[in-house]
Amino acid sequence: MNGSIKANSAWLAPMASIGAFVVLWGIVSLKVNPEFLPSPTMVWHEFIRLCHVPVGGTSLAGHVGYSLQRVLIAFGLAVLMGLPLGLLMGWSRVCEKIVSPIFELLRPIPPIAWIPIAILWLGVAEGSKVFICFVGAFVIMILNSYTGMRYVDPLLIDAARSFGASRSQQFFNVAVPACMPSIFAGVQNSLSMAWMCVLAAEMVGAREGVGFIIIQGMDLNKSSMILVGMILIGVVGSLLAAALRWVERVLCPWRREMV
C-alpha cells in the first residue's frame, strides 16, 4: 500500500505543482496586457504554429537539434578535459599547486564575458558557440570532480595501502569509485550549465537554435514566441537532467536518494 502511494506521489506531486503554476499564470495573464504576459493558451497556440511554420527556414525540432548538438559537443569536451584534470588536482598536491592558481583566476569569470573574445578567436561560426557552452561546463566539471576527490575518506585509501595496493590501484580502484556521486553531480551540473549557456552562445550571429527563436521573438515583439523558446529550454534541460539521473542509478546502484 505504501509502495503504491509513493509511486503515485512520484508523478502526482510534480504534475500538481506544474498544474498550479499554469493556473496561476493564466489568472495573472487575465489582469495584464497580453503583449506583456501572454496566457498559457496563447503560448500553446504559438507553439503549435511554430511546429508548422519554420523559423528562419528551420523547423522547431531542427532548432532544438542544433542547440542540442552545440551543447553536447561542448559538454563532451568539458567532461573529457575537466574530469581527469579535476581528479588529478584532488589526488595530487603537486598538480593542485600548479593548476589551482590558474583555475581560481578563471573560475569567477562568467561564460557570457567570453563572448567578445570568442568572436575574436573563432568568428561567428559554430566554434564560438561551442566554446561559450564549453567554458561554462568545464569550470563546473573541474570543481565537482576536484571536490569529490578531496573528500574521499582517507581510511579507504589507508585500507587499500595496507593490502598492498599500488598508487594507481588506490586511485582507480578506490578513490575514483568513492567519489562517483560527486562526479555525477558535476556531470549533471556541467550539462545544465552548458544548456543554460546556449542562449548566450546563440546570440553570436546564430541563424538556428532555441536561442535564435527567442531573439526572433524579441525582434518581432512577440512575447509568446519568446516564452515558447524559454519553455523549450526548460523542458529539454529537465529531460537531459532526468536522463543523467537514470544513468547514475544504473552505474551507482549503491546510491539511493532520500525519500
Side-chain angles (χ1 to χ4, degrees):
M1 183 67 177
N2 289 335
S4 62
I5 293 176
K6 289 181 180 179
N8 290 332
S9 64
W11 64 270
L12 281 176
M15 292 298 293
S17 175
I18 294 173
F21 173 77
V22 173
V23 170
L24 180 62
W25 173 11
I27 293 173
V28 173
S29 66
L30 293 174
K31 308 296 183 180
V32 298
N33 188 330
E35 293 184 0
F36 177 76
L37 179 64
S39 67
T41 303
M42 292 175 63
V43 174
W44 173 253
H45 288 160
E46 180 66 17
F47 171 74
I48 298 299
R49 187 187 73 82
L50 292 176
C51 287
H52 296 89
V53 179
V55 180
T58 304
S59 67
L60 192 63
H63 284 293
V64 174
Y66 276 109
S67 294
L68 272 175
Q69 176 180 310
R70 291 162 182 153
V71 166
L72 293 178
I73 291 173
F75 168 71
L77 292 173
V79 172
L80 189 64
M81 298 171 63
L83 177 58
L85 183 57
L87 292 176
L88 286 175
M89 285 174 59
W91 179 255
S92 169
R93 294 302 177 97
V94 175
C95 181
E96 179 185 12
K97 290 179 180 178
I98 294 173
V99 179
S100 183
I102 301 173
F103 175 71
E104 290 298 327
L105 180 66
L106 297 176
R107 184 166 64 93
I109 303 175
I112 195 170
W114 289 89
I115 290 178
I117 200 71
I119 295 174
L120 286 175
W121 287 350
L122 303 168
V124 294
E126 286 298 297
S128 59
K129 301 169 184 60
V130 172
F131 175 78
I132 294 166
C133 294
F134 165 79
V135 169
F138 180 67
V139 170
I140 291 180
M141 193 67 249
I142 289 182
L143 187 61
N144 278 78
S145 53
Y146 165 75
T147 303
M149 182 60 73
R150 291 289 291 129
Y151 284 96
V152 170
D153 191 344
L155 293 177
L156 296 175
I157 306 299
D158 293 338
R161 188 182 300 114
S162 67
F163 281 103
S166 66
R167 185 72 171 165
S168 62
Q169 288 174 328
Q170 294 170 31
F171 178 78
F172 289 106
N173 297 342
V174 179
V176 172
C179 66
M180 282 295 285
S182 292
I183 290 174
F184 267 101
V187 167
Q188 292 183 26
N189 292 333
S190 179
L191 182 57
S192 296
M193 177 57 73
W195 186 247
M196 285 190 290
C197 289
V198 76
L199 174 59
E202 289 171 351
M203 291 175 67
V204 186
R207 298 296 302 172
E208 61 281 311
V210 181
F212 175 71
I213 294 176
I214 294 176
I215 299 301
Q216 283 289 100
M218 182 181 68
D219 291 340
L220 297 172
N221 198 27
K222 293 188 65 173
S223 54
S224 58
M225 190 174 181
I226 295 173
L227 286 175
V228 168
M230 292 172 62
I231 292 170
L232 279 175
I233 289 177
V235 170
V236 176
S238 298
L239 292 175
L240 291 173
L244 284 178
R245 285 194 296 269
W246 178 82
V247 172
E248 181 182 9
R249 286 195 296 269
V250 172
L251 297 182
C252 303
W254 62 87
R255 177 174 168 82
R256 290 290 182 268
E257 296 182 354
M258 295 180 64
V259 293

